[in-house]
Amino acid sequence: MINHGLFCIYEQELYMSGKRPSGRPANQDASTALKAVALRLVRELGYEKVSVSEIIEQAGVARQTLYNRWNTKAYLVLEAVFERTNTYAAEPLGAGQRIVGPCSKIS
């Protein structure tokens, strides 16, 4: 999760001390659903046309669930893209496969 500000520092201090934060732990299914929906909608519609309302409606979560994890739509989308690209980068290419991207079309 991408966090900024004092809350992030508080979380790091808790982690380093071995203490658990109070309250119920975050539902990872909700986080996964939000990232998947956000990424799909951005691919289909483009970033500017995707609204937070549409993301939470399709993910089936409350607005506060999104904002408890990410401060903005941008942070949600960035984390979703980073996780997706990190996953792909970690998988080795099979025999005969090559990376295809904008630079691969340059002769």
Side-chain angles (χ1 to χ4, degrees):
M1 179 183 341
I2 300 172
N3 284 319
H4 298 280
L6 294 175
F7 188 70
C8 183
I9 294 168
Y10 172 74
E11 285 181 329
Q12 288 173 352
E13 288 175 2
L14 281 175
Y15 178 77
M16 297 301 286
S17 72
K19 296 178 185 174
R20 292 181 45 134
S22 61
R24 187 173 66 179
N27 178 350
Q28 291 306 313
D29 291 340
S31 296
T32 302
L34 284 162
K35 288 184 274 191
V37 168
L39 203 53
R40 181 178 52 79
L41 289 173
V42 167
R43 282 185 186 142
E44 291 173 2
L45 306 173
Y47 179 81
E48 293 298 324
K49 293 183 180 177
V50 176
S51 69
V52 168
S53 296
E54 194 167 10
I55 293 170
I56 62 173
E57 181 182 320
Q58 290 192 27
V61 301
R63 181 176 300 271
Q64 192 59 45
T65 301
L66 185 147
Y67 286 116
N68 284 342
R69 291 159 174 77
W70 301 280
N71 294 335
T72 65
K73 175 180 78 171
Y75 287 138
L76 166 60
V77 172
L78 281 172
E79 184 172 329
V81 168
F82 176 76
E83 282 186 6
R84 182 61 54 102
T85 57
N86 192 25
T87 299
Y88 288 153
E91 297 172 4
L93 296 175
Q97 290 183 318
R98 64 186 183 92
I99 297 173
V100 178
C103 294
S104 65
K105 295 179 183 179
I106 298 173
S107 311

